[in-house]
Amino acid sequence: MEAKAKERPYRLVDQIPEEEVHAAERYLEYLAEHCDPFIRALMPAPESDQPLSEEDREALNEGRRALVEGDVVTDEELRAEFVRA
């Protein structure tokens, strides 16, 4: 049953307008990270002491630049986009 339940979201992805793909991706990442009980259980764990890779540093810098430049949306804006869809 779960496989069939996941078929519809996959079909919907193909219908998302190109300009909304990034918002959809961010929302799906949020759901994947915060709705998984295992991930929620890990959230209070201490941060890793492993060094960041160059790719990690670039991703963090990209996110920080987006924040500084205001290239962000609020949770309310994101939810509103999905309600309209």
Side-chain angles (χ1 to χ4, degrees):
M1 175 112 149
E2 183 179 339
K4 286 192 178 228
K6 289 187 176 184
E7 288 176 14
R8 186 167 190 279
Y10 279 107
R11 286 193 309 270
L12 291 171
V13 167
D14 292 331
Q15 298 173 20
I16 296 172
E18 190 65 33
E19 63 273 7
E20 301 297 337
V21 169
H22 182 69
E25 179 182 13
R26 289 180 54 195
Y27 186 67
L28 289 171
E29 286 174 347
Y30 170 83
L31 288 177
E33 292 173 6
H34 293 89
C35 293
D36 183 325
F38 178 72
I39 298 298
R40 281 198 313 259
L42 290 177
M43 290 182 86
E47 289 190 34
S48 171
D49 59 356
Q50 297 295 315
L52 294 175
S53 69
E54 183 60 32
E55 183 179 329
D56 293 334
R57 283 191 286 280
E58 288 174 12
L60 287 169
N61 287 334
E62 180 181 335
R64 289 179 182 127
R65 276 193 301 276
L67 282 172
V68 168
E69 295 170 2
D71 185 16
V72 296
V73 294
T74 65
D75 290 345
E76 293 78 20
E77 291 169 327
L78 185 58
R79 285 188 189 102
E81 287 294 321
F82 283 97
V83 168
R84 282 186 249 146

